[in-house]
Amino acid sequence: MTSNVHKANRVLASIPAKDYTRLQAALEPIELTFGRVLYLPGKAIKYVYFPTNCLISLLTTVDKQRSLEVGMVGNEGMAGIPFILGIRVSNVRAIVRAEGNALRMASALFRIEFDRNAALQDALFRYTYALMAQISQTAACNRFHHAEARLARWLLMTRDRVGSDVLLVTHQFLAHMLGLRREGVTEAAAALKQRKLINYSRGNLKILNVRGLQKASCICYQPVKTVSNRAQD
């Protein structure tokens, strides 16, 4: 059942067929709904997830009310990276923020396969490097760049991973992801809309002009994209 589905995930698609065959029996197709919590800080990682057309947000929690997105995982990677480093608990809150499909594997089975599958190791070590680059760039972006450019960067990164120009997001949700006040997101979105780069209504946001949005984005978008592409080579 997963023989063709796995090709939608870039890590799995990079593994030679002979090495993927052993993985296939342990991979389970799953539909991930918006808002589903996959990991909590300090809690055991029971499954690893390979998104095919969904998006998983990695959040660092400040307190009971506040958290900030520090990374995102789409069809370029895997959620559950601490497990390949021998860490069995999550250090972030992982939540589905674009619903869709994924392949998951029980963490105990994954560890066995990872230890003996050199192709899987190579693909995931490369992806880990790309994710670390994304997280560090996001930290700098959140500190130094203004709301409009950060929002443009976030929209482009999301589009790259879900493969769609239509996103289901609210201003409150964007504020939560970007660590901004709701008013700040509203102003940034209004500015992008006025420039005819996006349109939005009742939680539906559509990207109208990708090239224009790239120009509006801060410089953080391109380095992350370049590193991600290089990790797949």
Side-chain angles (χ1 to χ4, degrees):
M1 184 175 180
T2 62
S3 58
N4 292 321
V5 173
H6 82 280
K7 294 179 181 178
N9 178 276
R10 293 169 66 183
V11 167
L12 295 179
S14 71
I15 300 173
K18 63 182 179 63
D19 296 303
Y20 176 73
T21 300
R22 292 196 306 267
L23 282 172
Q24 187 173 353
L27 286 168
E28 173 192 3
I30 183 172
E31 184 177 348
L32 297 177
T33 55
F34 177 81
R36 178 169 175 173
V37 177
L38 303 181
Y39 306 136
L40 289 170
K43 300 297 182 180
I45 297 173
K46 296 181 179 180
Y47 295 93
V48 297
Y49 296 85
F50 296 90
T52 55
N53 63 354
C54 66
L55 194 64
I56 298 167
S57 179
L58 307 179
L59 302 168
T60 291
T61 300
V62 179
D63 51 39
K64 291 183 179 180
Q65 284 77 39
R66 295 178 297 173
S67 59
L68 179 66
E69 183 181 77
V70 294
M72 59 176 74
V73 182
N75 63 4
E76 85 287 7
M78 184 193 86
I81 286 298
F83 212 83
I84 75 170
L85 305 175
I87 308 300
R88 299 177 181 272
V89 299
S90 178
N91 65 324
V92 297
R93 184 170 182 257
I95 184 173
V96 180
R97 65 172 167 81
E99 64 183 18
N101 301 304
L103 295 170
R104 75 175 183 181
M105 182 185 292
S107 56
L109 291 175
F110 169 79
R111 186 69 217 191
I112 293 171
E113 185 56 39
F114 178 80
D115 286 341
R116 67 180 182 178
N117 192 325
L120 180 62
Q121 290 177 23
D122 181 66
L124 284 173
F125 284 144
R126 286 172 175 269
Y127 171 65
T128 300
Y129 168 74
L131 182 61
M132 290 172 61
Q134 182 199 143
I135 290 171
S136 61
Q137 194 74 46
T138 298
C141 183
N142 287 337
R143 171 62 180 86
F144 293 111
H145 294 145
H146 60 81
E148 184 179 336
R150 286 166 59 189
L151 176 58
R153 185 263 306 168
W154 188 92
L155 292 173
L156 289 167
M157 289 179 64
T158 299
R159 176 184 181 273
D160 288 344
R161 287 158 179 78
V162 301
S164 174
D165 289 326
V166 179
L167 308 174
L168 301 178
V169 292
T170 64
H171 287 192
Q172 185 62 44
F173 181 76
L174 288 171
H176 187 58
M177 292 297 104
L178 295 170
L180 296 167
R181 285 178 165 273
R182 189 183 186 283
E183 294 79 4
V185 170
T186 298
E187 291 177 5
L192 295 178
K193 183 178 182 180
Q194 186 175 17
R195 295 167 63 180
K196 302 188 184 305
L197 302 180
I198 65 171
N199 197 8
Y200 55 85
S201 176
R202 297 184 179 182
N204 290 283
L205 186 148
K206 184 175 182 179
I207 297 172
L208 303 176
N209 185 336
V210 175
R211 189 168 297 179
L213 201 61
Q214 290 173 342
K215 291 180 180 179
S217 171
C218 59
I219 61 172
C220 295
Y221 169 67
Q222 194 56 50
V224 171
K225 184 177 179 65
T226 299
V227 171
S228 181
N229 289 339
R230 186 181 300 138
Q232 305 298 323
D233 293 339

